[in-house]
Amino acid sequence: MVNDGRSLVYFLFLFSVDYVYSEDLKTGTNYTFRPSIQGTIEILDWRHNGNLVVEWEPGSDPHFYRYKERASLDTTTGDFTLRLMKKEDSGVFRGQFQVETILQEFERTITVIDPVPKPKVTCEQNGMNITLRCSVDPSVQAEFTWSGPNGFSESGNSVHITKESDQEKVYFCIAKNSVSHTDTEFNLNMCPHKGGQGGDGGDGGSDGPNTIVIVIVIVILVLVLGLAIAVYVFWGKIKDFMPALFPGATAGGTSREPRSNGECEQPLRDVNNTSTETHVNFVPPKQDKESKDA
C-alpha cells in the first residue's frame, strides 16, 4: 500500500472486526484510537468518514493525507492519536491492519462537542411567586436540573417557587451534557421584585430603578440651577440698557427717586407728551460797509 492509492491486498485466512461503538469527546482534548492488535502488523491504514488519513508499510515512514500537524501513528501497535479534537473531527474512524495474513479492522464513531460553560441564573419575583431560570450559550448542548433545600429537585431550565418568610435559601442550577457538567448557586435574597432580574448567583439588579430616579433628580436640579444663573445674568444686562423700565436702575443717568424733601433732583418728563417746541432766534445779516455809506 503506497501513495498511488492501491487497495490493500491480502491472502486472508481469517477476517476479524473489533467491537464497534460510539463515544462523545470534549473539544480540545487528545484522543488515541487503540485497536489492540495482537501480533506483528505488516501493513495498515486509517480512514475518517471513508477518506484516507494515513497509511504505512514496512520500510517507509507513515504517510499522512490529513491531520499531519496534530496526529501521530504507532506502527508497532497501530494506535492512532489525534490531538486538540475539533467538532469537525466527528465521524467514523476505521483502521485496517494485516497481521500474519489476517485482516483485522477497528472502527469507532466519535462526536466532538463543547463542554458546558458555567450557567447563568436569573430570577423574577411577582408577589408571592418566584421564577428561577437557568441558561448557557445557545450553541452548547445542555440539560438542566435544579436542587435546593429540603430535598428539592426538578428538571428543566426554569422552576417556580412560592415565596416564604425565610428567603435565605440557596438553589443550584446544574447544566450538563455528555462530556461535562457545572453548576451555579443562587440565593433567594438576591431576587428582585418584578421589573428587575438577578443573575449569576449574586447580581440582584434591584438597585436599577433607584439609580434611574437618582439620575433624573440630579438632571432636574442641574437644569433648574442653570436656568436661575441665566435669569440672573440676563436681569443684570437689561437693567443697564433699559433704565426707564426699572426705577432702581442707576446706569446711564441720574436717579429719579424723590429726595427726602419730596422734590426730584431732575424734573420728570411727561412721557405721554411727544410734541417738541423749537425756538429760533433770528439774527439779521450784517450789511456791507460800502452800502451803508452810500
Side-chain angles (χ1 to χ4, degrees), residues 70-84:
R70 42 187 195 98
S72 60
L73 176 67
D74 187 329
T75 58
T76 301
T77 62
D79 293 355
F80 175 70
T81 301
L82 189 58
R83 297 180 294 275
L84 302 175

Side-chain angles (χ1 to χ4, degrees), residues 167-238:
Q167 288 291 89
E168 292 291 336
K169 291 185 177 181
V170 176
Y171 287 79
F172 291 86
C173 169
I174 302 97
K176 64 179 180 180
N177 58 20
S178 58
V179 297
S180 68
H181 71 276
T182 184
D183 62 72
T184 294
E185 69 175 59
F186 187 87
N187 195 317
L188 289 187
N189 66 2
M190 304 303 297
C191 187
H193 291 281
K194 186 175 182 180
Q197 286 189 334
D200 297 332
D203 184 9
S206 58
D207 292 337
N210 294 335
T211 302
I212 295 175
V213 172
I214 293 174
V215 171
I216 293 175
V217 171
I218 292 175
V219 171
I220 292 175
L221 291 177
V222 170
L223 292 176
V224 171
L225 180 61
L227 181 62
I229 294 174
V231 170
Y232 177 79
V233 173
F234 183 71
W235 180 274
K237 294 293 184 181
I238 63 175

Side-chain angles (χ1 to χ4, degrees), residues 45-115:
D45 68 25
W46 280 94
R47 297 171 185 268
H48 176 228
N49 293 333
N51 300 310
L52 190 59
V53 174
V54 61
E55 61 182 1
W56 173 84
E57 60 183 8
S60 65
D61 293 329
H63 182 79
F64 284 90
Y65 296 90
R66 293 173 176 80
Y67 307 125
K68 183 177 181 180
E69 299 300 325
R70 42 187 195 98
S72 60
L73 176 67
D74 187 329
T75 58
T76 301
T77 62
D79 293 355
F80 175 70
T81 301
L82 189 58
R83 297 180 294 275
L84 302 175
M85 300 290 288
K86 303 177 181 180
K87 288 183 178 181
E88 51 266 33
D89 297 332
S90 300
V92 179
F93 283 84
R94 179 191 295 271
Q96 299 183 102
F97 314 90
Q98 178 181 311
V99 181
E100 299 175 357
T101 68
I102 299 174
L103 177 63
Q104 299 183 31
E105 288 191 351
F106 173 90
E107 182 177 301
R108 184 147 303 169
T109 301
I110 63 170
T111 303
V112 184
I113 61 179
D114 290 328

Side-chain angles (χ1 to χ4, degrees):
M1 178 177 55
V2 291
N3 298 345
D4 58 6
R6 289 180 298 168
S7 301
L8 291 173
V9 178
Y10 305 101
F11 295 99
L12 302 179
F13 294 97
L14 179 65
F15 183 79
S16 174
V17 180
D18 191 21
Y19 178 71
V20 179
Y21 69 96
S22 62
E23 187 172 356
D24 293 337
L25 303 176
K26 181 168 59 175
T27 53
T29 58
N30 303 334
Y31 186 79
T32 299
F33 299 89
R34 303 183 186 276
S36 302
I37 301 300
Q38 301 296 325
T40 302
I41 299 176
E42 300 168 349
I43 193 171
L44 69 82
D45 68 25
W46 280 94
R47 297 171 185 268
H48 176 228
N49 293 333
N51 300 310
L52 190 59
V53 174
V54 61
E55 61 182 1
W56 173 84
E57 60 183 8
S60 65
D61 293 329
H63 182 79
F64 284 90
Y65 296 90
R66 293 173 176 80
Y67 307 125
K68 183 177 181 180
E69 299 300 325
R70 42 187 195 98
S72 60
L73 176 67
D74 187 329
T75 58
T76 301
T77 62
D79 293 355
F80 175 70
T81 301
L82 189 58
R83 297 180 294 275
L84 302 175
M85 300 290 288
K86 303 177 181 180
K87 288 183 178 181
E88 51 266 33
D89 297 332
S90 300
V92 179
F93 283 84
R94 179 191 295 271
Q96 299 183 102
F97 314 90
Q98 178 181 311
V99 181
E100 299 175 357
T101 68
I102 299 174
L103 177 63
Q104 299 183 31
E105 288 191 351
F106 173 90
E107 182 177 301
R108 184 147 303 169
T109 301
I110 63 170
T111 303
V112 184
I113 61 179
D114 290 328
V116 176
K118 191 174 181 65
K120 178 182 179 180
V121 177
T122 57
C123 178
E124 292 181 1
Q125 180 173 329
N126 186 6
M128 300 296 293
N129 300 318
I130 296 176
T131 300
L132 299 179
R133 291 186 174 86
C134 195
S135 62
V136 296
D137 191 309
S139 65
V140 179
Q141 302 175 14
E143 296 178 352
F144 302 97
T145 57
W146 296 85
S147 62
N150 304 320
F152 178 87
S153 179
E154 284 194 21
S155 299
N157 66 331
S158 64
V159 291
H160 302 282
I161 304 168
T162 301
K163 182 179 178 181
E164 300 178 9
S165 58
D166 180 13
Q167 288 291 89
E168 292 291 336
K169 291 185 177 181
V170 176
Y171 287 79
F172 291 86
C173 169
I174 302 97
K176 64 179 180 180
N177 58 20
S178 58
V179 297
S180 68
H181 71 276
T182 184
D183 62 72
T184 294
E185 69 175 59
F186 187 87
N187 195 317
L188 289 187
N189 66 2
M190 304 303 297
C191 187
H193 291 281
K194 186 175 182 180
Q197 286 189 334
D200 297 332
D203 184 9
S206 58
D207 292 337
N210 294 335
T211 302
I212 295 175
V213 172
I214 293 174
V215 171
I216 293 175
V217 171
I218 292 175
V219 171
I220 292 175
L221 291 177
V222 170
L223 292 176
V224 171
L225 180 61
L227 181 62
I229 294 174
V231 170
Y232 177 79
V233 173
F234 183 71
W235 180 274
K237 294 293 184 181
I238 63 175
K239 287 176 65 176
D240 292 338
F241 291 99
M242 302 179 65
L245 298 179
F246 299 92
T250 59
T254 304
S255 172
R256 298 178 183 273
E257 296 294 332
R259 294 181 178 178
S260 59
N261 58 4
E263 297 180 355
C264 292
E265 182 180 352
Q266 181 178 347
L268 294 177
R269 185 177 59 186
D270 187 359
V271 296
N272 294 323
N273 186 7
T274 57
S275 62
T276 57
E277 295 181 359
T278 304
H279 299 276
V280 179
N281 295 324
F282 178 76
V283 179
K286 296 181 180 181
Q287 294 182 358
D288 191 275
K289 185 177 178 182
E290 294 180 357
S291 298
K292 185 177 181 180
D293 293 338

